[in-house]
Amino acid sequence: MRQVRLPSRTQRGNAMSIIDSIRTSVLVPVHREGYPFIAIAAAGTLVLLWWGAWLTWPMLALTVWVIFFFRDPVRVTPMRDGLVIAPADGRISQVSKVVPPVELGLGDQPVPRVSIFMSVFDCHVNRAPIAGTITKLAYRPGKFLNADLDKASEDNERNGLAIATPHGNFGVVQIAGLIARRIVWWVGENQPIAVGERFGMIRFGSRVDVYFPAGAQPLVAEGQKAVAGETVLADMTSTEAQRIVRIG
């Protein structure tokens, strides 16, 4: 009788490791906000397939893109006190000093601001840049200009959060873009929020602005790629950053 050699424990462990790697790198979770859009796109694909229309393949590609757009990957957030983390995936389009939106109650003097532009290929789930308490939640309707433009911060539809922390008051503003027509948030006023915690998203292509307390020194540069929940925008406890501010 021919004997069958079973895989060793090491071989089984290696196989499971490979499977886990594929699952975590390819099978990225999809946020529930995307379920209706995915269902509509998938239904359209099935209808076109039933008709045998040539549009089946473009519709299938659109369905795959919708799934990709609403992905919600797991992120490893730095937890040290004082770190300010990127709230969005995308390209850092501006690092400047401007007056924050009046509705956030952050004062009328220019403060450091970092703007992150999200293309339609970036993950659009937004995360809290720092731990604290949401003291203000303000939605403002507006236009749908290109979110990469500076005036989009003033003219476009937006939703802003003011977060009180031991390191000062911060502002986070979700800005609708040329394609984005819907800002979603899942938080409320007087609610504590943890750094890296999901608080909302924008559909489809947009921008997020982070307003820092006066004297903060951003550690990122324009053109840099930001990863929500992981990229460090500033260190509010850094003595080196404080020294740079005083010298500057």
Side-chain angles (χ1 to χ4, degrees):
M1 181 180 293
R2 183 179 179 182
Q3 293 183 346
V4 178
R5 293 186 59 185
L6 297 176
S8 67
R9 181 176 300 178
T10 301
Q11 291 173 324
R12 291 196 298 270
N14 291 339
M16 291 303 297
S17 178
I18 293 173
I19 293 173
D20 289 340
S21 297
I22 295 174
R23 183 184 297 117
T24 56
S25 60
V26 178
L27 302 179
V28 178
V30 174
H31 198 276
R32 63 181 183 277
E33 287 287 337
Y35 292 168
F37 297 91
I38 296 171
I40 293 172
T45 301
L46 291 175
V47 170
L48 291 173
L49 180 63
W50 183 71
W51 281 347
W54 67 270
L55 287 175
T56 299
W57 291 110
M59 194 63 189
L60 178 60
L62 177 62
T63 302
V64 173
W65 176 79
V66 172
I67 296 172
F68 176 76
F69 179 87
F70 284 100
R71 66 195 185 280
D72 186 13
V74 175
R75 297 288 165 79
V76 180
T77 302
M79 301 302 292
R80 182 168 67 76
D81 180 56
L83 293 182
V84 185
I85 310 301
D89 284 14
R91 173 177 53 85
I92 295 176
S93 58
Q94 293 183 21
V95 179
S96 56
K97 285 189 177 182
V98 296
V99 177
V102 63
E103 64 266 22
L104 293 183
L106 297 177
D108 57 1
Q109 298 300 311
V111 297
R113 182 187 73 186
V114 172
S115 300
I116 302 174
F117 176 74
M118 296 180 287
S119 76
V120 293
F121 299 105
D122 289 311
C123 176
H124 274 55
V125 175
N126 301 142
R127 301 168 184 259
I130 194 168
T133 300
I134 300 173
T135 58
K136 190 77 172 179
L137 181 65
Y139 169 78
R140 180 173 173 175
K143 301 178 181 178
F144 297 96
L145 304 174
N146 185 348
D148 212 10
L149 299 176
D150 187 48
K151 62 181 180 179
S153 294
E154 299 179 3
D155 297 340
N156 280 22
E157 176 179 328
R158 63 180 184 257
N159 179 63
L161 285 70
I163 303 176
T165 80
H167 305 286
N169 295 323
F170 291 76
V172 186
V173 182
Q174 300 169 285
I175 302 172
L178 187 64
I179 303 176
R181 299 286 166 165
R182 176 66 170 161
I183 299 175
V184 182
W185 60 93
W186 314 302
V187 293
E189 293 184 354
N190 303 316
Q191 174 183 331
I193 193 166
V195 60
E197 181 179 343
R198 300 166 178 83
F199 71 84
M201 74 179 305
I202 317 175
R203 314 167 188 154
F204 289 88
S206 42
R207 170 174 157 184
V208 176
D209 289 344
V210 180
Y211 293 87
F212 298 78
Q217 180 68 28
L219 301 177
V220 290
E222 294 181 5
Q224 180 178 339
K225 178 70 175 179
V227 178
E230 293 188 354
T231 300
V232 176
L233 300 183
D235 184 354
M236 302 302 294
T237 63
S238 171
T239 56
E240 179 65 19
Q242 295 170 5
R243 186 180 69 83
I244 293 174
V245 171
R246 287 197 297 270
I247 292 176

